[in-house]
Amino acid sequence: MKKWYMVTLVGRDQPGIVAGVAQALYAGRCNLGEASMARLGGNFATMLMVEFDGEIPALEAMLEEVSGRMGLRCHVDAIEAGLHCHIEPDVRISVYGADRAGIVAEVTGALAEAGLNILNLETDIGGTEENPIYIMHLDGVAGRGAAALRSVLETLSREKNVEARLVENDLLMG
Amino acid sequence: MAVLEILVYPDPRLKQISEPVETVDQALLDFIADLEETMRAGPGGVGIAAPQVGCFKRIVIVDVSCKPKIPHHGRLVLINPVIATSNGSVVGREGCLSVPDYTGNVARAERITLNAWDETGAERVYSMEGFEARAVQHEMDHLEGLLFLDRLVSRRDIFRRKVYQKPRASVSKPS
């Protein structure tokens, strides 16, 4: 029976990482599932669902050459894969403001208390070195309704000097 | 009346361009009744296009009246629809009866006017906005062999650019 693994790769970004890793896995008879890859502060970080017949050491060995060549640290975990069972986010929220320590903790803490289950979160730091700004996008499920989240965002916006916006996903099924 | 089988991507027929309807006859009306029944049998479906059931004619049905508090025209049968004008842009999440277990964000015009025949073959003009306009655009894409997958926007591009002014509360109402 085929088994699923989560492969995490982190390293200095350079062209060719995705192709190199994908080719090594394909050559090793792996099947790729869902993946998330991002360039974060000049580093490349990947989480990759891999379906493979063998055990963890064999999968690690398969990735050794490309990891060494491209300066990647590789980590493999056995996982239970849940394909074909996506959870639909029903809200999307953006928050931005002058960058300072604690923004993510304050915003996500308050939203969690108001019932938000975060499915996806991406943050960026923009602006200038002297005046950095923090931009956060998240998708989630409003466990206790969007009104509770909206109320929390209004408070954050007022008290923590951030800009916040919530949009309800009015899913169109056609 | 019958619930028809819905084509599911990667069925290549979903990429086919549909032909205009020449005349409205009883056979066409019977098909439209089946198409509507198929739409209403689907989970949460607010629209359907003829090519989704393998009939490559320019017919779509939209009915968003189940959504609370939005402007709409009720049950709409649009034959040979053509969008005459479109304004604004809004991003919303879409799924499709022909694309199971996946939804994504798509940019659509916020307001449209369109010309179409109704079920008597008479020319009609509609002006619509918001959810109903998005639904019509989604269904009309099927007539061109396009799926919402052809129009996905990146997660990083989904927020409309807008200038906020302090100190008013900047949490806005749903779009």
Side-chain angles (χ1 to χ4, degrees), chain A residues 84-86 88-89 92 96 120 122 124 137 150 153-154 157 162-166 169-174, chain B residues 45-46 67 91 93-97 101 103 131 135 139 155-156 158-160 164 166 170-172 174:
Chain A
H84 308 291
C85 53
H86 284 115
E88 288 307 325
R92 55 186 210 258
Y96 69 89
N120 180 65
E122 289 176 352
D124 282 292
H137 283 165
R150 209 171 259 129
L153 290 173
E154 275 169 13
S157 177
V162 293
E163 304 288 341
R165 176 184 168 84
L166 180 150
N169 285 331
D170 209 353
L171 179 67
L172 188 158
M173 188 59 68
Chain B
V46 294
K67 295 277 172 185
V91 172
R93 202 164 186 90
E94 299 186 12
C96 184
L97 301 172
D101 191 45
T103 63
F131 194 80
E139 301 312 334
R155 279 197 285 235
R156 286 178 184 253
I158 60 176
F159 291 93
R160 283 181 290 183
Y164 292 93
K166 284 271 179 183
S170 56
V171 180
S172 55

Side-chain angles (χ1 to χ4, degrees), chain A:
Chain A
M1 196 184 83
K2 295 247 183 185
K3 289 166 283 198
W4 283 96
Y5 297 94
M6 188 67 79
V7 174
T8 309
L9 292 156
V10 179
R12 198 86 207 139
D13 188 32
Q14 59 174 305
I17 294 178
V18 178
V21 169
Q23 280 162 12
L25 292 168
Y26 177 64
R29 297 175 173 273
C30 292
N31 177 36
L32 303 190
E34 298 178 359
S36 181
M37 310 189 186
R39 189 177 196 271
L40 305 172
N43 301 283
F44 194 76
T46 300
M47 288 174 290
L48 190 56
M49 281 175 65
V50 175
E51 191 183 30
F52 176 54
D53 230 345
E55 302 298 323
I56 289 179
L59 192 49
E60 285 172 337
M62 194 187 301
L63 290 164
E64 204 175 306
E65 190 276 326
V66 67
S67 299
R69 177 159 50 87
M70 310 213 79
L72 302 168
R73 278 174 56 90
C74 175
H75 180 84
V76 181
D77 289 299
I79 56 165
E80 278 184 33
L83 286 173
H84 308 291
C85 53
H86 284 115
I87 297 175
E88 288 307 325
D90 56 14
V91 291
R92 55 186 210 258
I93 294 169
S94 70
V95 177
Y96 69 89
D99 186 31
R100 59 177 168 76
I103 289 189
V104 179
E106 286 166 4
V107 171
T108 56
L111 290 171
E113 262 182 48
L116 181 70
N117 174 24
I118 296 173
L119 298 176
N120 180 65
L121 179 140
E122 289 176 352
T123 65
D124 282 292
I125 297 183
T128 61
E129 279 191 36
E130 303 75 49
N131 291 304
I133 58 170
Y134 200 86
I135 306 117
M136 183 181 342
H137 283 165
L138 54 90
D139 296 304
V141 176
R144 294 208 290 279
L149 299 176
R150 209 171 259 129
S151 153
V152 157
L153 290 173
E154 275 169 13
T155 306
L156 283 169
S157 177
R158 200 169 49 243
E159 294 178 358
K160 304 293 182 183
N161 203 32
V162 293
E163 304 288 341
R165 176 184 168 84
L166 180 150
V167 176
E168 283 179 70
N169 285 331
D170 209 353
L171 179 67
L172 188 158
M173 188 59 68

Side-chain angles (χ1 to χ4, degrees), chain B residues 8-9 17 25 32 35 45 52 71 82 84 87 91 96 129-130 144:
Chain B
V8 173
Y9 189 76
I17 295 174
D25 55 19
I32 288 170
L35 188 64
Q52 285 182 279
V82 177
N87 287 290
V91 172
C96 184
E129 62 180 71
E144 303 300 328

Side-chain angles (χ1 to χ4, degrees), chain B residues 111-170:
Chain B
R111 289 172 299 281
I112 57 172
T113 56
L114 72 147
N115 306 315
W117 298 1
D118 65 15
E119 287 162 286
T120 69
E123 285 263 13
R124 300 279 300 268
V125 180
Y126 300 95
S127 183
M128 58 181 68
E129 62 180 71
F131 194 80
E132 186 177 46
R134 284 171 53 204
V136 166
Q137 290 169 82
H138 175 115
E139 301 312 334
M140 284 181 63
D141 266 355
H142 283 296
L143 307 180
E144 303 300 328
L146 293 172
L147 301 169
F148 77 97
L149 301 176
D150 294 300
R151 297 192 186 274
L152 290 177
V153 297
S154 151
R155 279 197 285 235
R156 286 178 184 253
D157 298 330
I158 60 176
F159 291 93
R160 283 181 290 183
R161 292 193 179 91
K162 191 171 175 180
V163 178
Y164 292 93
Q165 291 173 326
K166 284 271 179 183
R168 68 171 172 77
S170 56

